[in-house]
Amino acid sequence: MAVSGVWFLRVGLMAWIILWQGPVGITETLSGPVDIILVFGSYLIPLAVLELYLAAGRSPRIALKIAAAALVSLAALYTAVGVFGTVAFMWGPYL
C-alpha cells in the first residue's frame, strides 16, 4: 500500500477536482489545504483504510464488519472516480 503513494495522490487529486467540479482548495504549488492533506495522506489514508479493514476482519462484531465494508466501498468508488479522471484528463490527451 505504501509503495503506491504517488498513485493515490494523483487519483485523490483528480477525484477531488471531479467531485467538486474544480480545484477547490488546490493550488498550482500544491500548498493549499487539500493539497497538504492529500500529499501527507497519500500514504497514510490507504494504510488506515487497510488497517481498519483488517481489524474488522478479526473482530467478531458484525457492525464493525459492515462499517469497514462501507468504508472500503466508498474508498473504491472514490478511487474509481480518480482513475477515470486521471486517464481522461491527464493521460488521455497525450494518447
Side-chain angles (χ1 to χ4, degrees):
M1 295 297 286
V3 172
S4 298
V6 172
W7 172 249
F8 287 122
L9 175 61
R10 185 177 303 239
V11 167
L13 286 172
M14 289 309 298
W16 182 264
I17 290 170
I18 289 172
L19 293 174
W20 288 98
Q21 299 178 354
V24 176
I26 297 174
T27 64
E28 290 183 16
T29 60
L30 293 178
S31 61
V34 173
D35 298 320
I36 293 169
I37 290 169
L38 286 176
V39 167
F40 186 71
S42 64
Y43 296 96
L44 297 180
I45 294 169
L47 286 172
V49 171
L50 175 63
E51 286 297 323
L52 291 172
Y53 169 78
L54 294 173
R58 291 187 301 264
S59 174
R61 295 174 37 194
I62 298 298
L64 189 58
K65 292 178 189 282
I66 292 171
L71 177 64
V72 169
S73 297
L74 285 173
L77 182 62
Y78 190 82
T79 302
V81 171
V83 168
F84 167 77
T86 301
V87 171
F89 303 117
M90 290 180 148
W91 298 339
Y94 300 102
L95 294 179

